[in-house]
Amino acid sequence: MSMPNGTLNRRDFVRALLVDRNDLIVVSGLGSTTYDVAAAGDHPLNLYQWGGMGGTAMIGLGVALARPAQRVVVLTGDGDALMGLGSLATIGVKQPHNLSVVVLDNGRYGETGMQASHTSAGVDLASVAKACGFAESHTMSDMHRAPMMRALVHQGRGPILIRACIAREELPRVLPTRDGFEMRARFTAALVG
């Protein structure tokens, strides 16, 4: 089993993934990953989640299947991924070629007080994704591999899972809108042009 031993700065890594993103669709999990995506720059193709822990990967799957000509990346944390573990099996069955799931893994449930998650006890989400039939799964823990991971997210054949072992730190919150109606309208308008 591979336990998270991360030193990656989550904001630097997310920013590196999203630089020059063009029409990349980003679905972010509730809490810290939404703050990270917002800190990298608000965009009408950002679909922020403020609730529904465990549902982020399935929302990304739905968007990827509905928009097969566009790249979709789910950015979420290990707590959300663990709560929706069955979604990895569904993604493996559906084989969306345009979907990447990036799990920022610090081995903690950051939104509820930094309690240890199952990844801190050795549950390896990259191995789970591989067993579910993902085309590629990777674990990374340093910024030197960020350009390669960015290339996979933007051009690789999915489904892809990237487990990024990040440092355990609480950063200042960067809050995008929390108005669900506004976000849906903005996202839909951006999709249809």
Side-chain angles (χ1 to χ4, degrees):
M1 292 191 178
S2 172
M3 291 181 250
N5 185 22
T7 58
L8 276 175
N9 176 288
R10 60 187 310 144
R11 296 269 164 90
D12 291 346
F13 178 62
V14 169
R15 192 173 301 111
L17 287 179
L18 301 182
V19 67
D20 297 328
R21 62 183 277 184
N22 299 316
D23 65 348
L24 177 70
I25 296 170
V26 179
V27 180
S28 61
L30 74 161
S32 296
T33 52
T34 282
Y35 311 146
D36 298 334
V37 170
D42 191 26
H43 192 285
L45 289 174
N46 289 351
L47 186 58
Y48 306 112
Q49 304 303 304
W50 289 115
M53 187 170 178
T56 311
M58 291 305 285
I59 292 168
L61 173 62
V63 174
L65 293 176
R67 305 297 290 193
Q70 283 184 265
R71 304 292 306 188
V72 179
V73 62
V74 169
L75 274 159
T76 194
D78 52 301
D80 183 50
L82 287 163
M83 188 167 282
L85 202 57
S87 63
L88 299 182
T90 302
I91 291 169
V93 169
K94 299 303 285 184
Q95 290 291 304
H97 64 89
N98 57 335
L99 178 64
S100 298
V101 177
V102 178
V103 179
L104 302 181
D105 187 356
N106 62 2
R108 293 288 183 265
Y109 291 99
E111 299 313 304
T112 57
M114 297 297 277
Q115 302 90 348
S117 79
H118 293 65
T119 64
S120 70
V123 173
D124 182 347
L125 293 169
S127 295
V128 172
K130 184 175 182 179
C132 289
F134 277 55
E136 293 197 46
S137 64
H138 300 269
T139 295
M140 62 167 293
S141 58
D142 67 70
M143 280 299 286
H144 293 98
R145 294 186 65 203
M148 183 180 117
M149 297 301 123
R150 183 195 176 279
L152 280 175
V153 166
H154 289 261
Q155 301 162 358
R157 180 157 184 85
I160 298 164
L161 185 130
I162 299 167
R163 174 179 168 242
C165 298
I166 61 169
R168 295 177 182 157
E169 58 187 343
E170 291 190 51
L171 299 174
R173 295 178 178 189
V174 178
L175 297 171
T177 182
R178 289 182 166 205
D179 184 323
F181 181 79
E182 176 189 336
M183 279 193 297
R184 182 182 65 85
R186 182 179 83 154
F187 183 72
T188 302
L191 281 180
V192 297

